[in-house]
Amino acid sequence: MSLTIRDHTERSPLYDLYGNAPLTLLGERLFVAGSQSDSEQLQRCALIDLSNLPRLGLRGTDSAAYLQGKGYQLPDAPNQARLQSSGELVLRLSQTEYFLLGSLTDGGARIASDEAGWRYDDGQASYLLPRQDSHAWLALTGAHLPELLAKVCGVDLGADAFSIGAVAQTSVARLNAIVVNAGTEKLPVFQLLCDRASAHYLWGALLDAMQEFGGKPAGIEALK
C-alpha cells in the first residue's frame, strides 16, 4: 500500500532526501516504499533509511537478565549482534550495554511495546536508554560494502575481519557511528547508527562514496 505525504505527518527526518517518494505503512510507521527495480539495486549498491523503525538501549549489570526474561537471545561478547527469530537485532556494545533494533517483520512493534512497558524498579541495575530521537538508522547493501566504507571509515570491514554478526563502534565520515554486519549469504547488508542531527550529512557522504559502484537510494519494500 503506497501513501502520499498528505496521509500522515510522522515520517523520517531523511524523507525529504528521497525527493517526495511514495510512502508505505510498515506496522504503524511510514517508510519510503521504493520501486520494483530496487531488488536489483540492493544487490548492486543501495542506501535505505530505516530511521522510523523502533529501537532502544539498556545499560546496567541487570540488563542481560532483564532482556533474557523478555525472551531475547543475547550475544556472547561485546561488539557482537544476535538476530532474533522474530527479526530483531540485539547488539551488545559492552559488558553491560545493549542496543535493540526493531524487526521489519512487525514494523518494530515488539521493541516499541517493550519500551512503552518498561518500568524502573528500586534496586534494579538496568536503565532504559531511549534511542529513537538520538540515533538515525541507515542500511547499506550490495557486494562492494567493504570497498565503499573504506572511503569513509578507517576500520577494516572486509569479510575476514568483519563477519556476519560483528559490530564496530567507530568513525564513519568523521561521525561517531555503530556499524553492524547484518547481512546474509544472499544479500550483504551493513546497518549504521549515527547521531540523528548529523543524518543528512552522513546520507550525502555515503551517496558520494557509492557513486563508483552505481549506488542509489532504495525503499524498504525490497529489503523486506
Side-chain angles (χ1 to χ4, degrees):
M1 174 176 57
S2 293
L3 308 170
T4 68
I5 197 62
R6 293 182 295 276
D7 293 315
H8 293 266
T9 58
E10 295 182 4
R11 54 194 188 276
S12 165
L14 294 172
Y15 171 74
D16 60 309
L17 300 181
Y18 276 94
N20 201 35
L23 294 165
T24 187
L25 274 173
L26 183 59
E28 298 179 353
R29 298 171 184 269
L30 285 170
F31 298 86
V32 170
S35 63
Q36 292 182 346
S37 63
D38 280 353
S39 294
E40 295 180 2
Q41 188 65 48
L42 259 62
Q43 292 293 339
R44 184 163 53 251
C45 187
L47 178 61
I48 303 167
D49 175 27
L50 300 178
S51 295
N52 263 10
L53 273 177
R55 50 199 172 277
L56 63 86
L58 283 173
R59 179 186 295 156
T61 54
D62 291 336
S63 294
Y66 177 84
L67 290 172
Q68 288 170 332
K70 288 287 187 178
Y72 290 100
Q73 302 297 310
L74 306 184
D76 295 328
N79 292 318
Q80 293 182 358
R82 185 159 183 177
L83 181 65
Q84 309 299 295
S85 60
S86 49
E88 296 82 11
L89 269 176
V90 176
L91 284 54
R92 187 171 182 178
L93 302 183
S94 71
Q95 290 294 345
T96 60
E97 183 174 350
Y98 296 86
F99 200 135
L100 280 65
L101 303 179
S103 170
L104 291 172
T105 302
D106 68 354
R110 180 184 181 187
I111 297 293
S113 176
D114 285 344
E115 181 172 19
W118 189 88
R119 298 291 183 272
Y120 175 75
D121 295 327
D122 289 341
Q124 173 183 295
S126 180
Y127 307 93
L128 186 71
L129 303 172
R131 296 304 192 195
Q132 198 70 26
D133 293 327
S134 65
H135 287 70
W137 180 3
L138 308 176
L140 278 170
T141 74
H144 303 287
L145 293 181
E147 300 96 315
L148 189 164
L149 282 170
K151 298 181 178 184
V152 292
C153 179
V155 174
D156 182 3
L157 299 177
D160 292 338
F162 196 64
S163 58
I164 293 173
V167 175
Q169 300 177 66
T170 182
S171 174
V172 177
R174 299 185 179 181
L175 294 176
N176 290 332
I178 301 169
V179 184
V180 187
N181 187 338
T184 66
E185 293 183 359
K186 293 183 178 180
L187 180 65
V189 179
F190 285 178
Q191 298 194 11
L192 287 79
L193 299 148
C194 75
D195 175 44
R196 185 182 177 103
S198 302
H200 277 63
Y201 161 75
L202 183 59
W203 182 272
L206 292 174
L207 284 181
D208 184 66
M210 294 165 63
Q211 288 185 5
E212 176 185 349
F213 310 105
K216 295 181 181 179
I220 203 168
E221 292 290 350
L223 192 60
K224 287 169 58 182

